[in-house]
Amino acid sequence: MNIWTIMTFELRRQLRSRTWLLNMILLPVVLIFLLGASLSGVVGVEGAETVNPVKVAIVDTAAAAPAKSATLDAFVKSDEVKDYISPFEVQTREEAESGLRTGKYGYAVIVPQGFDSEIQSGGQAELELILGKNHSDNTTAGTVFDNFLSEINYKQAAAMTLGPEALTAVMPATADQPAVQLGSLNNGGKTYTASQFYAASMLLMFLLYSGLTVTSSLFSEKDNHTLFRINSMPVKGSQLFIGKMLGVGVITMLQCAAIIIFTSLLFGVYWGNRPWLLMLFCLLMIIASMMFSILVCMFSKTSATATNVVNIVTVGMTFLSGGMAPLPDSWVNSVGAFTINHWEMQAIIRMMLHSGFGQILPNLLVMSAMCLVLIGGVVFTYRKVGYHE
């Protein structure tokens, strides 16, 4: 009953605070809107990527029209390739190389003499491919012509090994397959937007900032000189401490739910298809934040010192985990891996992308281990230091 009374009093006190409502609920929602709108082209992917046709210079060394490669000519003019390749017949290799240097062409293909006759005689299909200046153009054109050569050589090998009748078995299986297919490499074929990214990062940052509520709650009794009077009543120190932490925990969970609901309704932020798993990660973040703040309070003599430490650590971990601005992967995956935000952020983003549970499980285990270590530290420290004036 003592714990319940203290917890409800703590809840009423926090909910009456306009400053808490503005700083812990309204401020993160406004930040998510501003960051998501202003950095939409920097973080996340709004939609599917488009590929512009690459200008390809084709040099056929056979020169005479009857001797040119009919196989390659039919391929580059086919319906499935024309969306990705714009062929331009060029007379000499020097002209093609000059066009690549000036940017007139994005890629070049040198067709050797007797290309078709070599294929018909069972030889290996080979083309000389010259890269241009643009990496995307090189990737697109290289994929198209590599697939072209691979398909021809595969059929040649099948015919030589299994006989000409093997080609009739291969053709139906490959006839309907496009030469190039656009897709997303993440698990569910989903992408995340800047609003989703900053919704997750700001949620985690303000859950860490909830440690300031812990600091305020623990030091308020000392600063107001009411802790001694409370301890003189039939209330154990542990009951007072647990009641306060439960009150702060409940108010922080309300803050977390409010941020998720408001961002989902107002900005259309999609939080993934595992709401219960999202709630579990948020709960682990709340526990870790509270336990860390309790440890800081136990070793701090004044409220100002504890507040400064919580502020510095919160901002530092948010930055190192890449939550404020996109950082190189080498930084995020090395230094950022020592922060709580890193493991939470990666898990939430993977839930947004519909990743499998096996990819999220390591993050869950690491967060659970961190919480257990922090809880153990709080229990040990409380027994040594206690909560008194």
Side-chain angles (χ1 to χ4, degrees):
M1 184 57 66
N2 288 337
I3 293 175
W4 175 260
T5 302
I6 296 169
M7 182 188 74
T8 54
F9 171 78
E10 191 69 29
L11 279 173
R12 288 197 302 268
R13 186 175 68 170
Q14 294 295 338
L15 290 175
R16 289 172 183 168
S17 173
R18 295 181 180 179
T19 303
W20 182 89
L21 293 174
L22 290 174
N23 291 340
M24 304 307 286
I25 295 182
L26 182 60
L27 181 58
V29 173
V30 172
L31 282 176
I32 290 168
F33 170 73
L34 294 177
L35 292 172
S38 60
L39 299 176
S40 59
V42 179
V43 179
V45 180
E46 292 289 348
E49 295 288 340
T50 58
V51 177
N52 297 320
V54 183
K55 295 180 180 180
V56 179
I58 299 178
V59 182
D60 200 323
T61 56
K68 289 184 178 180
S69 173
T71 304
L72 181 63
D73 186 64
F75 173 74
V76 296
K77 293 180 180 179
S78 62
D79 293 337
E80 63 178 7
V81 174
K82 67 181 182 180
D83 292 335
Y84 310 103
I85 298 297
S86 294
F88 293 86
E89 293 185 6
V90 178
Q91 298 299 321
T92 63
R93 178 193 184 98
E94 290 74 16
E95 184 181 350
E97 292 178 348
S98 176
L100 289 175
R101 284 192 293 269
T102 59
K104 181 179 180 181
Y105 306 116
Y107 202 80
V109 177
I110 310 299
V111 185
Q113 292 187 5
F115 180 76
D116 286 1
S117 59
E118 183 72 15
I119 296 175
Q120 293 170 3
S121 62
Q124 183 178 3
E126 293 182 346
L127 295 172
E128 183 180 354
L129 309 177
I130 305 178
L131 304 181
K133 294 182 177 181
N134 188 279
H135 175 73
S136 298
D137 289 348
N138 293 334
T139 302
T140 303
T143 301
V144 171
F145 287 104
D146 285 344
N147 288 342
F148 169 68
L149 295 175
S150 298
E151 183 180 359
I152 292 177
N153 290 322
Y154 173 75
K155 291 179 180 178
Q156 293 282 55
M160 293 177 63
T161 305
L162 304 175
E165 61 276 4
L167 293 178
T168 59
V170 173
M171 287 298 292
T174 59
D176 298 332
Q177 296 180 1
V180 177
Q181 183 174 355
L182 295 177
S184 179
L185 294 180
N186 59 61
N187 294 280
K190 301 288 183 181
T191 57
Y192 66 89
T193 64
S195 295
Q196 286 178 288
F197 178 85
Y198 282 109
S201 65
M202 291 298 103
L203 171 66
L204 299 179
M205 186 177 77
F206 278 88
L207 288 183
L208 277 178
Y209 268 130
S210 64
L212 297 178
T213 308
V214 174
T215 302
S216 173
S217 178
L218 291 179
F219 276 97
S220 63
E221 306 297 346
K222 293 183 180 181
D223 295 339
N224 295 330
H225 304 290
T226 56
L227 184 57
F228 180 79
R229 283 183 288 171
I230 294 175
N231 287 332
S232 66
M233 300 172 66
V235 178
K236 296 181 180 179
S238 59
Q239 293 175 345
L240 175 62
F241 186 79
I242 293 173
K244 281 183 167 292
M245 292 305 100
L246 287 177
V248 174
V250 172
I251 201 70
T252 307
M253 285 189 283
L254 293 176
Q255 172 201 4
C256 177
I259 294 175
I260 293 175
I261 293 172
F262 287 160
T263 54
S264 178
L265 295 178
L266 298 178
F267 313 135
V269 174
Y270 177 67
W271 290 91
N273 59 344
R274 294 186 173 92
W276 294 107
L277 190 59
L278 176 64
M279 292 173 59
L280 177 59
F281 272 100
C282 290
L283 179 60
L284 291 174
M285 188 67 178
I286 293 171
I287 293 174
S289 172
M290 291 179 57
M291 295 301 107
F292 171 74
S293 299
I294 292 171
L295 287 174
V296 172
C297 291
M298 292 294 183
F299 291 99
S300 300
K301 293 184 179 180
T302 63
S303 175
T305 303
T307 299
N308 290 333
V309 172
V310 172
N311 279 324
I312 292 172
V313 173
T314 297
V315 174
M317 287 200 294
T318 304
F319 175 77
L320 292 175
S321 63
M324 290 186 173
L327 296 176
D329 290 339
S330 58
W331 288 23
V332 174
N333 295 324
S334 56
V335 180
F338 292 94
T339 65
I340 301 172
N341 302 54
H342 171 82
W343 299 98
E344 285 276 338
M345 186 76 175
Q346 295 297 323
I348 294 176
I349 292 295
R350 286 171 181 169
M351 281 187 275
M352 291 176 176
L353 296 177
H354 288 196
S355 298
F357 181 73
Q359 292 181 282
I360 305 174
L361 181 60
N363 300 65
L364 181 61
L365 295 177
V366 171
M367 281 301 303
S368 301
M370 288 183 177
C371 288
L372 288 175
V373 170
L374 290 172
I375 291 173
V378 167
V379 172
F380 177 79
T381 306
Y382 181 81
R383 289 182 176 179
K384 294 294 182 179
V385 179
Y387 178 52
H388 51 77
E389 291 206 53

